[in-house]
């Protein structure tokens, strides 16, 4: 099929609507010989006659009428798609798809968006909250423009910018033998039931790595995806957990960990290369500039 099918259909529709080569050529700004050759090539490729001469004009054949209906619909769809893409890329009113971890949703993301919208009030922002591995997959396939996540990936197709560090505490039930101390070594809870994030969440691998550094493999009692749920289960006495520092919850004590250092890096990830739109560039620049301050008090 014709490599330049859309231009060929555009020229065909112009002739079909005007019924005259010269008038159609003048209206769309194409030399008449070029337009005539384009129609002839299209008829050759389709293997049908699209027009028949009537006096000095042209009249559609039945095949031409069928093609006109489909061609006008197809060109209208293409025009609508182009308009949408142009609108999404508009520097004032364009669209950004912004992904983030659930742990950053309650406070950090609203702070970032409030600041960004003060400077760019008309930019539209689609939000995606999901687990770490899914965020990276969506950045790779382009359905998320940039994401706040942890840990930072190290691969050629992604650009990772570290923004801040977040301390994780050892959450233990209030009646736990370590609850009244100033802190704990992670090795002190080796063998105890662990409540941890499920596979696919960034903290799943991070916590297991820290336990490995402490010389043990966690005995998992439950895996979940919500910090509040894990904290509540600690308060119910079902185990201990390494969790981001959060609000005080009855029955839960959050202990600083002396060893190993239980701090993770939070940052921004976007695809390498490519042609980013102005709204995406503006949000990336805003997060890079203000993210370290806005992420300082993650809870």
């Amino acid at each position: 099929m014709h490599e330049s099918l859309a231009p060929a259909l555009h020229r065909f529709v112009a002739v079909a609507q005007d019924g005259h080569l010269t008038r159609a050529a003048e209206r769309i700004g194409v030399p008449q010989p070029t337009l005539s050759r384009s129609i002839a090539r299209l008829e050759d490729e389709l293997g049908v006659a699209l027009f028949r001469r009537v006096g000095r004009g042209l009249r559609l054949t039945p095949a031409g009428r069928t093609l006109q209906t489909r061609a006008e619909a197809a060109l209208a769809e293409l025009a609508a798609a182009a308009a949408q893409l142009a609108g999404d890329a508009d520097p004032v009113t364009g669209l950004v798809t912004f992904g983030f971890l659930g742990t950053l949703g309650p406070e950090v993301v609203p702070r970032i968006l409030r600041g960004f919208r003060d400077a760019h009030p008309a930019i539209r922002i689609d939000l995606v909250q999901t687990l770490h591995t899914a965020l990276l997959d969506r950045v790779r396939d382009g359905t998320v423009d940039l994401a706040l996540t942890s840990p930072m990936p190290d691969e050629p197709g992604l650009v990772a910018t570290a923004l801040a560090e977040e301390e994780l505490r050892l959450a233990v039930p209030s009646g736990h033998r370590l609850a009244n101390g100033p802190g704990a070594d992670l090795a002190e809870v080796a063998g105890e039931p662990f409540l941890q994030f499920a596979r696919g969440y960034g903290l799943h691998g991070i916590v297991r790595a820290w336990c490995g550094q402490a010389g043990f493999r966690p005995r998992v009692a439950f895996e979940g995806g919500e910090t509040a749920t894990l904290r509540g289960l600690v308060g119910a006495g079902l185990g201990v957990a390494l969790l981001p520092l959060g609000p005080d919850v009855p029955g839960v004590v959050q202990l600083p960990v002396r060893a190993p250092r239980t701090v993770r890096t939070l940052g921004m990830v976007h695809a390498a290369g490519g042609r980013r739109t102005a709204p995406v560039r503006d949000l990336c620049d805003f997060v890079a500039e203000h993210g370290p301050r806005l992420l300082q008090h993650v809870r």
Side-chain angles (χ1 to χ4, degrees), residues 38-167:
S38 178
I39 297 299
R41 282 196 300 268
L42 185 60
E43 289 180 323
D44 288 343
E45 291 181 1
L46 295 176
V48 295
L50 300 173
F51 297 96
R52 60 185 178 88
R53 288 197 172 275
V54 178
R56 293 185 178 181
L58 296 173
R59 181 173 297 175
L60 286 166
T61 65
R65 288 194 295 273
T66 298
L67 181 60
Q68 181 185 13
T69 300
R70 299 294 182 88
E72 287 176 342
L75 291 173
E77 284 294 319
L78 286 174
Q84 179 179 335
L85 293 176
D88 289 349
D90 186 276
V92 177
T93 61
L95 175 69
V96 183
T97 303
F98 182 33
F100 57 93
L101 296 176
T103 53
L104 303 179
E107 296 183 25
V108 172
V109 171
R111 286 201 294 264
I112 288 174
L113 295 183
R114 276 195 297 269
F116 181 73
R117 290 183 71 83
D118 285 343
H120 304 274
I123 293 295
R124 294 166 290 133
I125 301 176
D126 281 351
L127 299 176
V128 175
Q129 177 181 303
T130 187
L131 64 166
H132 173 73
T133 55
L135 281 176
L136 294 187
D137 284 343
R138 295 192 184 194
V139 172
R140 292 185 190 103
D141 67 22
T143 55
V144 164
D145 294 310
L146 69 153
L148 289 180
T149 191
S150 180
M152 294 291 92
D154 181 14
E155 59 180 88
L158 299 178
V159 176
T161 304
L163 298 172
E165 291 187 335
E166 178 186 32
E167 178 190 7

